[in-house]
Amino acid sequence: MRSLISTTLIGVGAGLVASFVMDRFQDVAAPAFGMGGGNDDPSTVKAADTISEAVAGRPVTQKHRQAAGSAMHYALGAAVGGGYALAVRQWPDLAKGWGVPAGLATMLLLDDLMVPAAGWGPWPEAEVPGNAYGLTSHLVFGVAMEGTRRAGVAGAKALPA
């Protein structure tokens, strides 16, 4: 059995890859879902502002807002991936859904609960384009995360002991 460290590293890598895949999907899919770039900062930038204000006493500067938002997105993806890999190690049946349940849980817990509770975005509403876009984006994330985790596990097994 792999060590906790190697399991976590595989998961972190899977979360980073899944975050990248999700970003690229959203770049392509946003227009199809009618999701335009509004004037409001994304929740990742608002989260970065919260951290910056707690640490430095001021929000992220305009010059660094996009990079800070991306850093938040990838850091969260890495954390979710690491946690997911550890959970699958303990309860292997979690991987049976090929990441779909993990993507759904990520959307529900983070986008639909944590983001609005922290004041970084609105509470979900019953509107189809935005909900379909968010759901599809997170399902892409979950499947990419599980596929990458499986590839990492297979690659680790192929290495000499």
Side-chain angles (χ1 to χ4, degrees):
M1 179 175 266
R2 290 175 319 283
S3 72
L4 288 175
I5 292 173
S6 64
T7 297
T8 304
L9 290 175
I10 288 169
V12 165
L16 290 170
V17 168
S19 296
F20 177 79
V21 170
M22 181 181 182
D23 269 349
R24 300 298 67 82
F25 169 79
Q26 288 178 334
D27 288 345
V28 172
F33 284 92
M35 305 304 292
N39 293 332
D40 198 22
D41 282 329
S43 59
T44 53
V45 172
K46 292 176 183 178
D49 272 342
T50 300
I51 293 169
S52 180
E53 287 171 359
V55 172
R58 62 188 179 325
V60 176
T61 63
Q62 193 62 39
K63 178 180 178 182
H64 297 105
R65 293 184 84 65
Q66 184 175 359
S70 289
M72 286 300 303
H73 175 70
Y74 283 91
L76 188 55
V80 168
Y84 174 73
L86 289 170
V88 168
R89 176 189 168 105
Q90 182 66 32
W91 301 287
D93 285 351
L94 291 175
K96 285 186 176 178
W98 256 94
V100 168
L104 181 59
T106 301
M107 181 193 77
L108 293 173
L109 293 173
L110 298 178
D111 279 12
D112 290 355
L113 291 174
M114 186 177 150
V115 166
W120 301 328
W123 289 97
E125 295 181 15
E127 50 95 20
V128 174
N131 289 331
Y133 175 72
L135 175 61
T136 306
S137 295
H138 285 90
L139 294 179
V140 165
F141 173 84
V143 171
M145 180 174 62
E146 174 57 18
T148 305
R149 186 197 67 80
R150 287 183 186 201
V153 168
K157 285 180 183 176
L159 294 174

